[in-house]
Amino acid sequence: MKNNYMPLHKSLLALVLPLFFLVSCATVPITGRSQLNLVSSSSMLSMSNAQYNTFLRNNKLSSNRTETARVKRVGKKLERAVEQYFRQRGLGSELRQYRWEYNLIKNKSPNAWCMPGGKIAVYTGILPYTRTDAGLAVVMAHEIAHAVAKHGNERMSQMLLTEMGGAALSSALNSYPTKTRKLWLSAFGVGSKVGILLPYSRIQEYEADRIGLIFMAIAGYNPNEAIGFWKRMSKGSKGGKPPEFLSTHPADASRIRQIRNAIPDAMKYYRK
Ligand SMILES: [Zn+2]
C-alpha cells in the first residue's frame, strides 16, 4: 500500500516552498508563465545602466556608419513596436523606466544581447548572419524579448539563490562585487570573457523566439526571415569553433521547427 504520509521535514518544505514562490514569483507579460523573481525592477535597472556604461567604456564602437545606422534604425522601430504592444495591453508601466540604447560594437564574435531597460549591444561579428534589416530585427527582437520577459532577472535570481544563498542583489554587490558582476554579465549573455557561459533555458529560448517574432512583425519585418537567419547560424557552426552566440542559442532542427510553428501567430501582427 502506498504511504500517504510525508516525513515531517518534507511536509514542512511543501508548506513553506509555495509561500516562498508566492511572494517571489512574477508573471511573464506575454506568455503568462510564472517565474522566479527575487530582484526588484529598480535594482535591476540601476545595475543595468551601470554595467552597460562600463561595457561601452571598455569596448570599441564600430566605425562602419552604414551598419551602425542599420542597428539604430531597426532598434528604433522595435522600440516603438514593443511600446505599442505593451501600451495596448495596459502594460505600459512595465516599460516606463526603459531608456533604450542600441549600439554596434566592434567585435568579431557573433553576439548580441539586451540588458533590462532596453540596453542593447550588437557585435559586428553577427552581421554576416543577419545580412538585412529584417535579419537584424530577428536577433534584436529576440534579445529584447529576453529582456521584457525578464529572463535575465530570472537567471540572476536563480544564481543569487544557488551561488549566494539568496542574498539580495545590493548586498551581494557590496560583499562580492567582482563575482556579482560576473554573474550579471553571464545572466545577460555578455560573453565568455567573464569565464561563464550560461545558456538560457529551452523554455526561455522558445519564449524569446515567440515574443520576438511578434515584435518584429509589429515593427514591419516579415517574421519568416527568422528561418533564414537561424539556418545561416546553424551552417556557420559546422566545422571549426561554433560562434559564441550559438553555444547559448543552439540553432538545431527543433528550434527551427518551433519557430516555423510560431510564425502564423506572429503574421497576424505583420503590416508591410
Ligand atoms: Zn536567446
Side-chain angles (χ1 to χ4, degrees):
M1 205 176 107
K2 216 174 126 204
N3 181 0
N4 286 323
Y5 295 97
M6 279 192 279
L8 181 65
H9 67 279
K10 273 200 182 161
S11 55
L12 267 179
L13 255 187
L15 196 74
V16 172
L17 267 183
L19 280 176
F20 173 73
F21 284 107
L22 200 69
V23 292
S24 55
C25 264
T27 308
V28 177
I30 295 166
T31 63
R33 177 175 66 85
S34 62
Q35 62 184 174
L36 176 66
N37 189 345
L38 301 174
V39 191
S40 73
S41 292
S42 60
S43 38
M44 285 303 276
L45 287 168
S46 62
M47 179 123 182
S48 186
N49 286 337
Q51 293 304 325
Y52 191 72
N53 290 336
T54 307
F55 178 85
L56 289 183
R57 267 200 307 278
N58 296 333
N59 289 272
K60 269 206 178 102
L61 293 179
S62 164
S63 54
N64 184 323
R65 282 197 200 163
T66 313
E67 295 300 340
T68 299
R70 192 199 295 278
V71 167
K72 308 246 182 216
R73 178 170 65 236
V74 173
K76 191 76 205 166
K77 280 193 181 179
L78 287 170
E79 171 188 335
R80 288 206 192 102
V82 174
E83 293 197 324
Q84 179 194 319
Y85 185 94
F86 273 70
R87 210 172 38 241
Q88 284 174 348
R89 281 153 189 80
L91 297 168
S93 61
E94 293 259 342
L95 304 177
R96 196 174 296 139
Q97 287 172 295
Y98 268 54
R99 299 289 176 270
W100 298 84
E101 277 187 74
Y102 357 84
N103 284 293
L104 181 61
I105 310 299
K106 189 176 177 179
N107 186 322
K108 281 186 193 134
S109 159
N111 200 10
W113 45 260
C114 177
M115 286 182 189
K119 305 295 190 191
I120 299 168
V122 175
Y123 296 9
T124 46
I126 206 163
L127 299 179
Y129 301 96
T130 56
R131 292 187 186 170
T132 60
D133 281 28
L136 184 61
V138 175
V139 173
M140 291 178 78
H142 175 93
E143 292 307 318
I144 291 171
H146 275 309
V148 300
K150 297 186 178 144
H151 289 162
N153 194 330
E154 194 173 10
R155 273 156 36 121
M156 200 62 205
S157 299
Q158 282 158 356
M159 289 192 286
L160 286 170
L161 261 189
T162 53
E163 307 269 328
M164 308 224 176
L169 180 60
S170 53
S171 61
L173 201 56
N174 283 332
S175 317
Y176 313 99
T178 312
K179 187 176 181 190
T180 309
R181 195 177 150 265
K182 278 187 180 177
L183 290 180
W184 171 277
L185 294 176
S186 65
F188 292 98
V190 174
S192 55
K193 262 191 196 161
V194 295
I196 322 165
L197 254 184
L198 187 69
Y200 282 108
S201 75
R202 277 281 159 143
I203 291 174
Q204 292 171 325
E205 278 307 318
Y206 177 52
E207 211 162 56
D209 281 339
R210 238 177 93 196
I211 301 171
L213 290 172
I214 293 176
F215 290 162
M216 72 180 284
I218 298 173
Y221 302 109
N222 190 333
N224 285 289
E225 296 290 330
I227 303 288
F229 166 75
W230 287 108
K231 281 189 171 165
R232 288 193 293 278
M233 278 309 273
S234 84
K235 269 193 199 138
S237 70
K238 293 206 175 96
K241 195 170 161 265
E244 187 175 301
F245 189 72
L246 268 189
S247 51
T248 53
H249 290 81
D252 48 25
S254 85
R255 166 174 228 135
I256 292 172
R257 194 169 51 241
Q258 284 190 318
I259 290 176
R260 237 187 254 285
N261 290 340
I263 285 178
D265 186 40
M267 283 304 278
K268 294 178 199 154
Y269 298 85
Y270 178 50
R271 301 277 176 278
K272 272 182 219 171

